[in-house]
Amino acid sequence: STCAAALRMSIGIHSGRCEFFLVGAGGHRELIVTGESATTLTQMEKIAGPGQIVVSDGTASALGEAGHSVPSDRLGEGWLLRGAPPADLRPADLDRIDEDVDVGVALCRTLREHVLRGGLEYEHRDATVGFIQFSGVDQLLVDRGSEHVRDVLEVLIARIQSATERRGVAFLATDLGPDGGKVMLSAGAPQHLGDDADRMIAAVREVLDDSGPLVLRAGITCGRVFAGDYGPPYRRTYSLMGDCVNLAARLMAHAEPGDTLASADVPPSASDEVAFVPAPPFAAKGKRALVRPFHVGARGSAPAAHERPRRGARDGPMIGRDAELSALRDAANAAAAGHGIAV
């Protein structure tokens, strides 16, 4: 049987002065888009509903200055487009791929190795997903200027790179956010090393425990994700999708400054050395039931045994990889009979 999914999109557009910072050390470089324009852009996207395009006052003014009268209605602090402005179609010549591009500049070590091995396949797998949000950039730009913000972001991204690299956590991407931005992390995809939750928690807590002048908060989840490469041939990227990813972002948004919130799936996957304290439940977009999170590494005593989910083996059989399992069983039987074999 086949299953068709209807996907809908919301778009926000803003025109104005944008701040771009190319930062990062050692492993790779990240292009951070932040500042007041990025904040306005995220507001426009948030206002837009499914199937809508909302533009800012800056974009509306730019269209007017260009002599384009575009049908639109006021929607919140933006303008809901009811038609497209006249524009010439100017397709870019993007068929040719530069084979000399150094992917190490744009990807962390884990992703770089995965891409160069040709392992860009689509798959469902278990992973631990983390989001770190940084804010306070807009006022810092006003008070100290772009060069100071560049230095602050350089230190922050380098610290995230160092904390994740040493623990085998993938630095997947950065994204826009109001008054700052956010960083998406993954343990268990594309590389599975075991102890995914512990490695993610250790990396995130190391970053948040030394935040510097920016305000940091984080969210962590464990669960099934859909992993693979996305985009046209000239601009591919590896990423994760699914409810697990969305929930990690929701947890990050609800965390207090300096705090990390984890979903209920994280404590059973973490070691007993990590302290989890129940946090107030909240309603999240796309969730029928309330989300019941846990503070991670919070100060104070650990929760009582009945408050913390029990850690144990996952229920259910292993699914798939039948040929691989058969080969391993044959090898084990051969070894038991005294015949060595390499798998």
Side-chain angles (χ1 to χ4, degrees), residues 127-132 185 196-205 218-222 244 247-252 260-267 276 293-294 296:
T128 299
V129 180
F131 275 93
I132 298 176
L185 310 174
D196 296 339
D198 287 347
R199 291 185 292 109
M200 177 67 75
I201 290 169
V204 168
R205 287 309 318 176
I220 299 176
T221 57
C222 291
C244 178
L247 181 56
R250 304 282 187 269
L251 289 164
M252 172 199 70
T260 301
L261 287 182
S263 65
D265 296 314
V266 175
F276 293 94
F294 289 81
V296 180

Side-chain angles (χ1 to χ4, degrees), residues 278 294 302-310:
F294 289 81
H306 69 278
E307 294 178 307
R308 175 173 175 169
R310 297 182 62 185

Side-chain angles (χ1 to χ4, degrees), residues 8-320:
R8 306 188 71 182
M9 181 184 299
S10 58
I11 297 177
I13 302 176
H14 173 64
S15 304
R17 176 182 172 83
C18 297
E19 303 285 348
F20 297 85
F21 299 95
L22 186 62
V23 295
H28 72 283
R29 306 287 279 173
E30 281 289 326
L31 182 64
I32 307 293
V33 184
T34 187
E36 184 177 347
S37 287
T39 298
T40 301
L41 176 59
T42 58
Q43 292 172 341
M44 296 303 103
E45 193 278 331
K46 188 175 182 179
I47 293 172
Q52 293 181 336
I53 300 176
V54 173
V55 303
S56 66
D57 290 337
T59 298
S61 297
L63 289 171
E65 293 172 0
H68 300 313
S69 178
V70 182
S72 58
D73 299 310
R74 193 66 174 173
L75 184 62
E77 298 180 359
W79 297 90
L80 174 63
L81 290 187
R82 291 189 286 106
D88 296 331
L89 182 62
R90 299 177 182 177
D93 182 14
L94 298 174
D95 293 333
R96 187 182 66 83
I97 300 176
D98 188 349
E99 301 293 345
D100 296 327
V101 171
D102 180 9
V103 296
V105 175
L107 302 175
C108 74
R109 181 188 60 81
T110 300
L111 290 186
R112 182 167 64 247
E113 293 177 352
H114 183 71
V115 169
L116 294 179
R117 285 200 308 266
L120 299 178
E121 62 178 10
Y122 298 103
E123 60 180 351
H124 292 275
R125 64 188 301 165
D126 290 314
T128 299
V129 180
F131 275 93
I132 298 176
Q133 182 186 63
F134 56 92
S135 59
V137 171
D138 291 359
Q139 191 60 48
L140 205 58
L141 281 168
V142 173
D143 296 340
R144 303 294 298 274
S146 297
E147 290 189 7
H148 180 75
V149 171
R150 178 202 62 200
D151 294 340
V152 169
L153 291 175
E154 185 81 57
V155 171
L156 172 63
I157 297 302
R159 193 164 67 248
I160 297 176
Q161 290 172 321
S162 175
T164 54
E165 171 75 15
R166 288 185 287 105
R167 295 177 174 85
V169 174
F171 188 126
L172 291 182
T174 57
D175 197 4
L176 278 71
D179 194 23
K182 52 193 173 186
V183 179
M184 180 180 176
L185 310 174
S186 168
Q191 184 182 45
H192 179 68
L193 301 176
D195 299 321
D196 296 339
D198 287 347
R199 291 185 292 109
M200 177 67 75
I201 290 169
V204 168
R205 287 309 318 176
E206 178 180 331
V207 174
L208 264 65
D209 287 344
D210 184 17
S211 63
L214 297 177
V215 176
L216 304 182
R217 48 174 57 85
I220 299 176
T221 57
C222 291
R224 299 287 284 177
V225 299
F226 184 65
D229 63 318
Y230 305 91
Y234 51 82
R235 209 289 189 185
R236 305 292 280 176
T237 186
Y238 177 91
S239 191
L240 311 179
M241 294 185 178
D243 182 67
C244 178
V245 178
N246 298 335
L247 181 56
R250 304 282 187 269
L251 289 164
M252 172 199 70
H254 278 80
E256 295 294 327
D259 192 18
T260 301
L261 287 182
S263 65
D265 296 314
V266 175
S269 301
S271 67
D272 294 334
E273 297 178 359
V274 181
F276 293 94
V277 177
F282 65 87
K285 183 179 179 180
K287 290 287 187 181
R288 293 182 179 179
L290 292 177
V291 175
R292 302 185 182 279
F294 289 81
H295 296 289
V296 180
R299 296 181 182 275
S301 59
H306 69 278
E307 294 178 307
R308 175 173 175 169
R310 297 182 62 185
R311 187 185 190 194
R314 180 167 301 164
D315 295 331
M318 178 178 288
I319 300 175

